[in-house]
């Protein structure tokens, strides 16, 4: 982010580590419970605030069930020249088995002489939502928890990085998750601009361009003394 690499980073943020069967991730909300009933006591890392601090020139957040908002944000991020970041809140639909259930993965494994370990994930119902700019929408998740999504107003100014951070903190204190385009640099620069690289890919440059001769090397060495 801070180097301005011309890439789009999309984080599918569900607050759990899937490979470890629902372990809390660094973005899990404080006070949330795991499938085993354990309560998370750690404060979450706010990925959007982190991207703003690191200098990303396109920062947004959306909900995976709100394609009306999410699709244009992804298209805009891909066209952005510079480091673009989208935090996508994505409820995990596979970890609906709970501790104590005789149908849970752990119980079956402990009471079964199997020749291999194969998981079957029961499909979960898709969660979608649509709501107007400037409004608050509460979305109930599969585990009963509720996301309080606050969509930015249409007149929101997305060109002020500090104001975006303040806006995030203001609504975070209210228990609301701000969605939409939070910040965009109208005149962004990327890594290639910073280090003044040529437009032609290096693997397409000829020997003359890549090895300009000893005189050019001496000039570079002299500038570093």
């Amino acid at each position: 982010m801070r180097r301005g690499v011309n890439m789009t980073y999309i984080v599918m943020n569900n607050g759990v580590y899937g490979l470890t069967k629902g372990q809390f991730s660094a973005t899990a909300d404080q006070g949330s419970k795991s499938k085993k009933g354990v309560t998370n006591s750690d404060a979450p890392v706010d990925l959007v605030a982190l991207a703003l601090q690191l200098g990303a020139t396109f920062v947004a957040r959306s909900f995976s069930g709100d394609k009306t908002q999410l699709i244009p944000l992804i298209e805009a991020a891909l066209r952005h020249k510079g480091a673009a970041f989208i935090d996508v809140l994505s409820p995990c639909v596979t970890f609906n088995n709970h501790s104590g259930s005789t149908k849970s993965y752990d119980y079956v494994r402990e009471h079964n002489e199997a020749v291999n370990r194969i998981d079957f994930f029961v499909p979960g119902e898709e969660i979608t939502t649509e709501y107007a700019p400037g409004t608050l929408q509460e979305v109930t998740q599969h585990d009963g928890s509720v996301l309080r999504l606050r969509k930015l107003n249409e007149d929101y100014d997305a060109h002020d990085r500090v104001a975006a951070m303040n806006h995030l903190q203001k609504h975070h204190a209210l228990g609301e998750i701000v969605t939409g385009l939070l910040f965009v640099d109208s005149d962004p620069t990327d890594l290639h601009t910073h280090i003044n690289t040529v437009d032609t890919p290096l693997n397409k440059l000829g020997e003359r361009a890549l090895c300009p001769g000893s005189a050019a090397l001496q000039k570079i060495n002299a500038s570093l003394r």
Side-chain angles (χ1 to χ4, degrees), residues 76-112:
L78 291 172
R79 288 174 170 79
H80 182 78
K81 183 182 179 181
F85 178 86
I86 305 179
D87 179 27
V88 183
L89 302 174
S90 310
C92 182
V93 299
T94 58
F95 294 102
N96 55 358
N97 60 315
H98 59 277
S99 179
S101 171
T102 58
K103 300 295 187 296
S104 69
Y105 304 136
D106 291 339
Y107 183 92
V108 173
R109 284 171 178 160
E110 292 171 2
H111 297 80
N112 181 33

Side-chain angles (χ1 to χ4, degrees), residues 29 61 82 89 120 128 138 146 160 174 194 205 208 215 219:
D29 291 327
R61 174 185 280 146
L89 302 174
F120 172 75
T128 61
E138 294 189 350
V146 177
D160 189 330
L174 298 175
H194 298 163
L205 292 176
R208 186 177 183 86
K219 183 178 181 181

Side-chain angles (χ1 to χ4, degrees), residues 1-9 54-58 77-85 188-195 197:
M1 292 292 169
R2 62 189 180 87
R3 298 180 68 197
V5 178
N6 187 19
M7 292 183 65
T8 297
Y9 303 84
L54 290 176
T57 50
F58 183 106
L78 291 172
R79 288 174 170 79
H80 182 78
K81 183 182 179 181
F85 178 86
T189 57
D190 65 352
L191 177 65
H192 294 289
T193 303
H194 298 163
I195 62 179
T197 58

Side-chain angles (χ1 to χ4, degrees), residues 46 61 133-137 147-153 156 163-179 182:
D46 189 332
R61 174 185 280 146
T135 62
L136 176 69
Q137 178 80 348
L147 290 177
R148 305 184 72 235
L149 305 177
R150 168 73 68 177
K151 188 170 291 188
L152 292 171
N153 290 308
Y156 172 81
M165 298 176 70
N166 290 336
H167 193 82
L168 282 173
Q169 293 299 320
K170 173 185 174 181
H171 288 278
H172 175 73
L174 298 175
E176 300 174 357
I177 304 171
V178 179
T179 68
L182 288 155

Side-chain angles (χ1 to χ4, degrees), residues 23 34 43 45 63 89 118 142 154 160 170 172-173 193 204 210 214 217 222:
Q23 178 188 6
S34 70
V45 173
F63 175 59
L89 302 174
I118 301 175
H142 297 93
E154 292 181 339
D160 189 330
K170 173 185 174 181
H172 175 73
T193 303
K204 295 185 180 299
L210 293 172
S214 59
L217 178 60

